[in-house]
Amino acid sequence: MSIPDLGVGAPSPAVIEHLATATRSLVRTVDALEEDDLRAPSLLPRWTRAHLVAHLTLNSEGLASVLRGVSLGAGVPMYRSPEARDTDIEELSGRDAAALRDRLLAATTGLSEAIAAMPAGAWAARAQRTPGSRATFAAGDVPLMRLREVALHHADLGTAFTRADWTPGVAEVLAESLAPRAAAPCTLHAHDIGRTWPAGGADSVSPGPTVRGTAADLAWWLSGRGGGAGLDTDSGELPRTGAW
């Protein structure tokens, strides 16, 4: 698929393509989940797979609302409040499997349409997660934000799909974008794609130890998952990372 230049502050066309690929993969997995499958625990504490699907659905709807608001010149927050977000996830997770599948598909389709409809000059606009929040994000960050949610939480479902099933492009984008989450300077080397990045504030004066592994294993660790399984480092100890 060919995507034109989208203007100043716009997301990378490659990220939009990777998001489309990762979303199709997620929807296929969720479509195969039966009622009992959805009530089983996910890999996230206290959340079933249904909770994760509900979160991914509402996240998609919230980001689509943000982009539609930006397109109209209006400030529309992603969620009404942190409490409303949690309540909505809990309520939606209790729906039956068919309702969850249909809502997820509609939500992902809506976000894709909102991304495609964004005016070229609107990507630099700022948006709020909740009303009055001081923390804001650029509309142009939305595709990458959503890609991380989709790819990481797809693996968090605890189905046959794991981080090893991310496409090389998705794994590369995740590892690169999550690199700042390392708590100390280090250098990341993804041997499967032959790329190296600075992480955790690393610089040419003090690059820190090198952490080696696949791009997927690096991204999984940087997101606070897995404890560094599949990685090695010349310092003998991995830098800390926070939970996602």
Side-chain angles (χ1 to χ4, degrees), residues 32-186:
L33 297 178
E34 301 294 341
E35 197 68 43
D36 289 346
D37 299 323
L38 284 164
R39 306 308 154 191
S42 73
L43 300 186
L44 297 185
R46 299 181 299 279
W47 268 14
T48 65
R49 289 170 177 157
H51 283 96
L52 259 181
V53 174
H55 164 59
L56 285 165
T57 299
L58 294 165
N59 174 270
S60 189
E61 291 175 350
L63 290 173
S65 293
V66 164
L67 294 187
R68 292 189 193 105
V70 167
S71 296
L72 296 172
V76 178
M78 187 174 174
Y79 299 113
R80 291 173 292 144
S81 69
E83 297 76 17
R85 168 193 175 273
D86 293 344
T87 298
D88 290 346
I89 289 172
E90 194 65 38
E91 190 278 329
L92 183 56
S93 71
R95 304 279 183 88
D96 62 37
L100 274 172
R101 288 193 293 264
D102 290 348
R103 182 85 172 263
L104 176 66
L105 179 59
T108 57
T109 300
L111 179 56
S112 177
E113 291 171 347
I115 290 171
M118 276 290 287
W123 289 108
R126 307 295 297 182
Q128 294 178 318
R129 180 177 171 84
T130 55
S133 172
R134 294 183 178 179
T136 64
F137 56 91
D141 293 337
V142 165
L144 178 57
M145 291 167 59
R146 180 61 182 176
L147 175 59
R148 288 192 293 238
E149 292 286 332
V150 168
L152 289 168
H153 287 327
H154 191 175
D156 287 333
L157 282 171
T159 63
F161 184 96
T162 71
R163 64 186 183 277
D165 296 303
W166 292 334
T167 66
V170 167
E172 181 177 6
V173 169
L174 292 180
E176 185 170 15
S177 69
L178 293 170
R181 301 190 77 254
C186 60

